[in-house]
């Protein structure tokens, strides 16, 4: 169920991507036609006004067609094949749905509680008895709720029946035609139920609007918290979209409502909270502007000394991207995976900061980065509302300082592996959402495999295969004493080191498309399971034979505690003589014998002798190459 909701939330994001640019266009044209700023130049009878008003009408395109956009956009994200045809089927079925509603209300409007449907005129900025014009059809205003329901039905029909083979004499009705026919039949009872139920739902939405408008700070805090903390699940789309573009608070959504009244707000001296009390739900861009850069600073100041430059090179662009454009993914999915508790803290601080801003009168369409916030708020409204924006900046900076010190303290105290704090043999890397999901998928696969099998190796094998990019990404694989040796087609598909470690790997060594996963002495059993997984998938992989000297060298190196634990090593007749930093990290003699040693002798001053044989010089040469 969670996976289906995640896919649904991601599909909803397809049309949402179109709104930011349109919002900026409408905001800038409102600014350019503001007489308080441009004086007589912005009078309605001037060429200046006419030009920018024409541009603004184009900017309203996606907001005025939001219902249709979701009808078309959802199948693009959810249809398993022929997404373009699914979008067409969804649009035709949506129109059919609304024509059926128009027919029901024309003939039996009073039965459904809609009086004089035929003579009701649709007037802008009015309730219109809950009616609206959609695609030239006068119908019930079901907003994006209706769009999503109809699109969801069509996606189900499309995925199930698009490829259905009909008898030859009905061949012309196959494919999209068959799906539309099924949609036509389905829409008749759906339209009837909508006429019966939706007017009551509209009453509930009105009540919800009143509740939210008067629930005060608690409602705003909960909204902002959920909208942030649910990002890993993908369900945050289900939180903010009904508010920003749907009917949860005002008809048509809060963003279009704000833009329609922008000129009015610019000319008023009343506080923004008084003018637009519901816009406290649209303040979540502030965490992108103030908090994420502070988090990046905390990461930079807690990075290892030898990784400071590399960490800054990654995090400074990521911080600027968040600040300017409101894109936070590169930062979010890095520490979210490394330290989930920091994500919860961030969500709490973000919700509290936004609520505090609202307390001090800050309100508006602030869901993007600084560019979007400036175009829809600061620039057009600064003249009469600068003092509220000054409060916004002060509060934002205060909370940025708070989250900086919280993160810095937590990272140092609990040694979280945030960017710049990875092991010395790992590169500093920011996780993308794709990489985060792959890592989580590997964990789930490993858990599922472990739960459904008595085999102690299958869970790790499943996880490693997934993290290596899947069977199709593996071209060569073998093992030596303690390591898997793999060659992959595309190194970018390989998961992060942290994900391998969560599945009991000691570490990962990367050299382009060649990797070594340090597994341990049971590597042969894990390799056997991986080869079985690859075979079951239908993929083929080349199996190479390991060099026996290199195999022993690798095993000795890992059993000595890794290259970081080795101070020096030399050959002594038939022995590898080693001085280590921490003798407690050296494995037992029995484990050394498993990889080919004859004996292990411990001496004074952290010295160990590994009795190897006549090829000891070559083994030491291989050990030094690996170091």
């Amino acid at each position: 169920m969670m996976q289906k909701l995640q896919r649904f939330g991601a599909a909803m994001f397809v049309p949402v991507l179109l709104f930011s640019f349109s919002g900026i266009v409408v905001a800038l044209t409102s600014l350019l036609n503001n007489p308080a700023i441009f004086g007589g130049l912005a009078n309605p009878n001037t060429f200046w006004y006419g030009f920018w008003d024409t541009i603004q009408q184009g900017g309203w395109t996606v907001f005025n067609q939001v219902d249709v956009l979701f009808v078309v956009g959802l199948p693009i994200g959810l249809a398993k094949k022929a997404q373009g045809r699914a979008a067409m089927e969804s649009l035709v079925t949506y129109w059919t749905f609304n024509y059926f509603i128009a027919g029901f209300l024309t003939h039996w409007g009073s039965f459904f509680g809609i009086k004089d449907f035929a003579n009701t005129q649709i007037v802008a900025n009015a309730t219109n008895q809950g009616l609206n014009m959609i695609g030239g059809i006068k119908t019930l205003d079901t907003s994006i709720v209706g769009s999503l329901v109809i699109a969801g039905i069509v996606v189900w029909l499309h995925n199930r029946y698009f490829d259905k083979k009909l008898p030859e004499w009905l061949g012309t009705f196959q494919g999209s035609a068959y799906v539309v026919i099924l949609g036509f039949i389905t829409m008749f009872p759906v339209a009837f139920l909508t006429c019966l139920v939706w007017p009551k739902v509209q009453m509930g939405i009105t009540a919800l609007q009143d509740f939210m408008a008067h629930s005060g700070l608690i409602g705003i805090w909960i909204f902002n918290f959920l909208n942030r903390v649910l990002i890993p699940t993908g369900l945050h789309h289900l939180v903010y979209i009904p508010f920003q573009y749907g009917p949860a608070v005002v008809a048509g959504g809060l963003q279009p409502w704000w833009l329609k009244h922008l000129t009015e707000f610019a000319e008023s001296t009343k506080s923004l909270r008084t003018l637009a009390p519901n816009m406290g739900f649209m303040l979540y861009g502030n965490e992108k502007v103030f908090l994420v850069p502070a988090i990046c600073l905390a990461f930079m100041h807690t990075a290892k000394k030898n990784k400071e430059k590399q960490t800054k090179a990654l995090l400074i662009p990521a911080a600027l991207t968040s600040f300017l454009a409101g894109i936070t993914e590169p930062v979010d999915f890095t520490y979210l995976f490394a330290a989930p508790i920091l994500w919860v803290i961030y969500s709490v601080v973000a919700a509290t900061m936004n609520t505090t801003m609202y307390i001090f009168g800050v309100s508006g369409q602030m869901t993007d980065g600084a560019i979007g916030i400036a175009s829809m708020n600061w620039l057009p409204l600064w003249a009469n509302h600068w003092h509220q924006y000054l409060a916004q900046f002060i509060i934002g900076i205060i909370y940025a300082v708070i989250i900086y010190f919280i993160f810095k303290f937590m990272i140092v105290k609990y040694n979280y592996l945030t960017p710049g704090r990875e092991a010395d043999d790992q590169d500093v890397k920011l996780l993308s959402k794709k990489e985060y999901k792959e890592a989580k998928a590997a964990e789930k696969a490993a858990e599922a495999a472990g739960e459904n099998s008595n085999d102690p190796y299958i869970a790790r094998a499943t996880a490693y295969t997934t993290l290596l990019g899947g069977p199709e990404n593996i071209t060569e694989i073998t093992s030596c004493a303690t390591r898997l040796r793999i060659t992959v087609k595309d190194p970018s598909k390989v998961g992060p080191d942290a994900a391998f470690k969560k599945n009991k790997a000691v570490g990962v060594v990367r050299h382009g498309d060649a990797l070594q996963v340090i597994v341990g002495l049971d590597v042969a059993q894990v390799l056997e399971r991986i080869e079985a997984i690859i075979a079951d998938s239908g993929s083929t992989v080349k199996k190479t034979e390991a060099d026996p000297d290199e195999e022993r060298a690798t095993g000795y190196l890992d059993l000595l505690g890794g290259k970081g634990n080795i101070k020096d090593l030399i050959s002594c007749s038939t022995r590898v003589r080693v001085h280590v930093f921490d003798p407690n990290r050296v494995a037992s003699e029995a484990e050394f014998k498993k990889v080919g040693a004859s004996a292990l002798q411990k001496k004074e001053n952290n010295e160990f002798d590994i009795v190897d044989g006549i090829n000891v010089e070559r083994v030491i040469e291989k050990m030094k190459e690996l170091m």
Side-chain angles (χ1 to χ4, degrees):
M1 177 58 71
M2 178 62 72
Q3 186 178 12
K4 292 180 180 179
L5 288 173
Q6 289 174 333
R7 288 191 63 216
F8 184 77
M12 287 177 71
F13 200 62
V14 173
V16 168
L17 293 172
L18 306 175
F19 288 98
S20 293
F21 172 74
S22 296
I24 291 173
V25 169
V26 172
L28 289 177
T29 51
S30 297
L31 170 68
L32 292 167
N33 275 341
N34 188 340
I37 299 174
F38 290 92
L41 191 63
N43 287 334
N45 58 349
T46 62
F47 174 81
W48 173 276
Y49 182 93
F51 178 81
W52 291 115
D53 184 66
T54 301
I55 298 296
Q56 185 179 92
Q57 298 311 309
W60 280 109
T61 301
V62 297
F63 295 110
N64 291 337
Q65 303 299 331
V66 64
D67 303 341
V68 176
L69 282 174
F70 278 99
V71 166
V72 173
L74 204 66
I76 293 174
L78 291 179
K80 295 178 180 178
K81 61 182 68 176
Q83 289 88 350
R85 289 179 175 271
M88 177 191 71
E89 297 155 9
S90 183
L91 184 60
V92 172
T93 304
Y94 182 63
W95 283 334
T96 303
F97 165 72
N98 283 296
Y99 274 121
F100 277 146
I101 288 177
F104 280 125
L105 296 183
T106 297
H107 299 291
W108 302 287
S110 58
F111 173 77
F112 296 109
I114 306 296
K115 299 178 181 179
D116 200 14
F117 170 80
N119 295 319
T120 299
Q121 300 298 314
I122 305 300
V123 180
N125 299 319
T127 59
N128 299 311
Q129 287 196 83
L131 305 177
N132 194 13
M133 295 294 294
I134 298 177
I137 310 165
K138 184 163 65 174
T139 180
L140 283 173
D141 185 7
T142 55
S143 188
I144 65 167
V145 176
S147 303
L148 296 176
V149 170
I150 303 307
I153 292 172
V154 174
V155 166
W156 185 84
L157 292 172
H158 176 88
N159 288 338
R160 188 175 180 88
Y161 297 107
F162 179 76
D163 288 333
K164 184 175 179 57
K165 178 68 175 174
L166 298 178
E168 290 296 331
W169 60 279
L170 291 176
T172 188
F173 297 114
Q174 290 181 167
S176 289
Y178 188 50
V179 175
V180 169
I181 291 169
L182 295 175
F184 184 94
I185 296 170
T186 305
M187 286 307 104
F188 190 83
V190 170
F192 176 81
L193 291 173
T194 302
C195 292
L196 199 63
V197 173
W198 189 252
K200 298 177 179 63
V201 173
Q202 286 176 319
M203 293 175 61
I205 291 173
T206 301
L208 175 63
Q209 175 183 346
D210 291 339
F211 170 76
M212 288 294 183
H214 298 93
S215 64
L217 307 179
I218 294 176
I220 289 173
W221 190 93
I222 292 174
F223 171 89
N224 280 279
F225 174 75
L226 292 177
N227 188 46
R228 183 55 41 185
V229 81
L230 290 176
I231 282 180
T233 69
L235 301 182
H236 63 298
H237 300 304
L238 306 181
V239 175
Y240 78 84
I241 286 178
F243 283 77
Q244 193 164 344
Y245 307 115
V249 178
V250 296
L254 286 169
Q255 181 168 335
W257 180 87
W258 171 263
L259 294 172
K260 287 177 183 177
H261 294 85
L262 195 58
T263 301
E264 172 191 335
F265 298 154
E267 296 173 352
S268 175
T269 57
K270 294 181 180 179
S271 75
L272 292 172
R273 180 175 171 180
T274 301
L275 292 168
N278 292 323
M279 295 305 295
F281 297 104
M282 296 290 103
L283 299 181
Y284 59 86
N286 285 290
E287 58 237 33
K288 306 171 185 179
V289 172
F290 295 104
L291 300 187
V292 173
I295 290 170
C296 290
L297 189 63
F299 291 161
M300 287 186 276
H301 288 175
T302 54
K304 294 180 178 179
K305 292 293 182 182
N306 63 330
K307 295 193 175 188
E308 283 183 351
K309 289 184 179 180
Q310 192 180 4
T311 305
K312 289 179 180 178
L314 285 169
L315 288 175
I316 290 175
L320 287 174
T321 300
S322 175
F323 177 82
L324 295 173
I327 299 172
T328 63
E329 177 184 302
V331 180
D332 291 347
F333 285 88
T334 298
Y335 75 89
L336 191 159
F337 187 76
I341 187 62
L342 292 180
W343 181 259
V344 177
I345 292 171
Y346 166 50
S347 302
V348 171
V349 173
T352 306
M353 178 187 70
N354 295 337
T355 306
T356 304
M357 288 181 178
Y358 183 73
I359 291 172
F360 282 85
V362 180
S363 189
Q365 180 56 40
M366 302 181 183
T367 58
D368 299 318
I371 294 174
I373 293 177
S375 63
M376 286 183 263
N377 300 268
W378 299 335
L379 292 176
L381 303 179
W382 185 268
N384 287 326
H385 303 284
W386 63 268
H387 49 290
Q388 287 148 57
Y389 294 138
L390 181 61
Q392 177 189 6
F393 301 151
I394 293 172
I395 293 168
I397 292 171
I398 291 172
Y399 276 90
V401 172
I402 291 172
I403 203 163
Y404 166 80
F405 282 108
I406 291 175
F407 267 55
K408 187 176 180 181
F409 171 78
M410 294 283 288
I411 291 168
V412 173
K413 181 174 177 62
Y414 297 104
N415 194 30
Y416 293 132
L417 295 179
T418 49
R421 295 176 63 82
E422 303 88 350
D424 290 337
D425 60 349
Q426 296 178 22
D427 290 330
V428 180
K429 183 181 180 183
L430 298 181
L431 286 179
S432 67
K433 190 172 185 177
K434 174 179 175 292
E435 290 170 324
Y436 169 78
K437 287 185 174 181
E438 287 176 348
K440 296 302 286 183
E443 287 186 2
K444 291 179 180 178
E447 290 173 2
E451 290 172 359
N452 298 323
S453 172
N454 293 323
D455 188 332
Y457 308 109
I458 189 65
R460 291 155 69 197
T462 303
Y464 297 156
T465 305
T466 303
L467 288 168
L468 290 167
E472 67 283 354
N473 196 44
I474 301 172
T475 58
E476 295 183 25
I477 187 168
T478 188
S479 67
C480 59
T482 57
R483 304 185 182 197
L484 292 170
R485 294 177 180 270
I486 311 106
T487 303
V488 296
K489 293 178 183 177
D490 184 355
S492 67
K493 292 183 178 180
V494 178
D497 291 4
F500 281 96
K501 289 180 178 179
K502 281 182 174 289
N503 288 285
K504 299 183 180 179
V506 178
V508 181
V509 181
R510 301 171 187 254
H511 298 287
D513 59 0
L515 297 97
Q516 297 177 22
V517 181
I518 305 172
V519 176
L521 291 172
D522 54 0
V523 65
Q525 290 85 351
V526 173
L527 172 63
E528 182 183 351
R529 274 58 170 189
I530 292 177
E531 290 174 333
I533 292 170
I534 294 172
D536 290 342
S537 72
S539 299
T540 57
V541 63
K542 180 180 178 182
K543 184 174 180 180
T544 56
E545 295 297 327
D547 181 329
D549 293 332
E550 185 175 2
E551 187 168 351
R552 292 203 310 282
T554 303
Y556 295 164
L557 187 64
D558 292 338
L559 294 173
L560 286 167
K563 64 182 182 180
N565 195 40
I566 297 176
K567 187 176 182 180
D568 58 57
L569 74 158
I570 60 172
S571 65
C572 181
S573 185
T574 59
R575 304 178 179 208
V576 179
R577 179 159 291 170
V578 188
H579 286 91
V580 299
F581 291 104
D582 183 0
N584 294 320
R585 292 173 62 182
V586 178
S588 67
E589 182 180 44
E591 292 186 339
F592 277 88
K593 287 182 176 180
K594 288 179 182 178
V595 300
S598 299
L600 175 71
Q601 298 173 356
K602 182 178 180 181
K603 300 187 176 182
E604 297 179 353
N605 299 322
N606 296 340
E607 181 182 306
F608 289 84
D609 279 0
I610 305 170
V611 182
D612 180 76
I614 59 174
N615 288 330
V616 68
E617 292 288 350
R618 178 167 167 76
V619 171
I620 289 178
E621 181 183 344
K622 289 291 184 181
M623 290 179 70
K624 290 180 177 179
E625 288 178 5
L626 292 167
M627 293 173 64

